[in-house]
Amino acid sequence: MTPIYSISSNVCVEEAALYMASKETGAILIKNDRGEYVGIFSKADLIRLLEKELDPSSTNISSAMSSPIL
């Protein structure tokens, strides 16, 4: 079974990308402060962010994630 990884919606994109790399996964779920899943962040979302030339270290993951989760 494949594990499901998640991270807080309060982190920056850079931190989320480093977490994904450490877990060797292509996507992570995003949780709000109440522990509810509010989005998903994938390699495709990271690429879209970089295409817009936004700084991953100063962009909140909430701005880059896909939402709602389908």
Side-chain angles (χ1 to χ4, degrees):
M1 183 176 256
T2 303
I4 298 172
Y5 298 107
S6 65
I7 199 164
S8 168
S9 60
N10 298 324
V11 302
C12 67
V13 170
E14 179 179 43
E15 187 176 341
L18 290 171
Y19 179 72
M20 287 171 54
S22 74
K23 299 299 182 184
E24 297 181 356
T25 188
I28 54 174
L29 295 175
I30 310 301
K31 285 185 175 183
N32 65 15
D33 293 336
R34 295 183 302 270
E36 301 166 329
Y37 293 112
V38 294
I40 187 167
F41 182 72
S42 68
K43 290 179 182 178
D45 295 313
L46 178 59
I47 290 168
R48 279 192 286 278
L49 178 103
L50 296 173
E51 286 175 338
K52 295 177 184 176
E53 298 183 8
L54 297 173
D55 181 7
S57 66
S58 64
T59 303
N60 186 282
I61 194 69
S62 297
S63 301
M65 70 182 186
S66 296
S67 181
I69 303 170
L70 299 177

